[in-house]
Amino acid sequence: MVRGALPELGLTTDLIVGFPGETEEDFEDSLSALSEIRFDLVHSAAYSEREGTPAATMPGALPQEVRLDRLTRLNELQDGITLSINRALQGRTYRVLADGRAPRGTGLLQGRTPTDKVVIFPGDEALLGRFVDVRITEAESWCLHGETV
């Protein structure tokens, strides 16, 4: 319903898997919710005890192997969802704020779309701090690639 009203909406969330007492059914429900909602990005982590917190002494602590397996499964599902969403953006042009040099590659800058997607594109450092129109040419799970227009 929200995406229907706001088609350019970018949805993100944070998820922790393997919290004490989480059942396999609970985890499967989380995966089903991810499949239905289709977040653009999920910041995920496996639960880890923090000394002095109530959760650190809760019953039902899960083995580390279970926590990491669930994290891997969640990330694999979400990577596919994010890639699908990002691929649908190929060919579109966005106004991107050039906010820094790309972490890898010579002559590449990075910026963000209005929905906070990272875009890597060739450009001179004189563009830093400016808005640039960038046509998306390629999509990955973690970023988009483009060219200035």
Side-chain angles (χ1 to χ4, degrees):
M1 180 175 71
V2 174
R3 286 192 191 276
L6 301 167
E8 293 294 317
L9 178 71
L11 288 175
T12 65
T13 193
D14 296 347
L15 285 177
I16 297 174
V17 299
F19 194 80
E22 178 187 71
T23 64
E24 182 63 25
E25 182 180 353
D26 294 334
F27 176 69
E28 291 291 336
D29 286 346
S30 294
L31 294 181
S32 293
L34 285 180
S35 293
E36 181 179 343
I37 297 167
R38 295 183 52 83
F39 290 101
D40 289 68
L41 181 65
V42 173
H43 300 281
S44 60
Y47 172 76
S48 61
E49 292 83 2
R50 296 289 187 255
E51 190 175 324
T53 64
T57 58
M58 286 178 69
L62 300 175
Q64 184 69 9
E65 303 81 47
V66 170
R67 298 179 210 178
L68 294 178
D69 175 67
R70 289 180 181 176
L71 180 61
T72 298
R73 290 163 52 202
L74 180 141
N75 286 339
E76 287 173 353
L77 172 63
Q78 185 57 46
D79 283 350
I81 292 168
T82 299
L83 183 59
S84 172
I85 290 169
N86 286 351
R87 281 185 175 156
L89 303 178
Q90 287 179 218
R92 298 189 62 182
T93 299
Y94 288 94
R95 192 139 180 90
V96 172
L97 175 61
D99 60 12
R101 291 181 206 92
R104 284 178 243 150
T106 305
L108 297 176
L109 301 178
Q110 74 175 22
R112 293 184 181 267
T113 68
T115 57
D116 203 33
K117 292 184 181 292
V118 173
V119 181
I120 308 295
F121 56 95
D124 186 87
E125 289 188 16
L127 295 175
L128 291 175
R130 296 177 178 234
F131 285 98
V132 181
D133 291 326
V134 178
R135 187 175 64 82
I136 306 304
T137 58
E138 184 183 343
E140 296 183 49
S141 292
W142 290 102
C143 70
L144 303 168
H145 297 270
E147 58 190 18
T148 57
V149 293

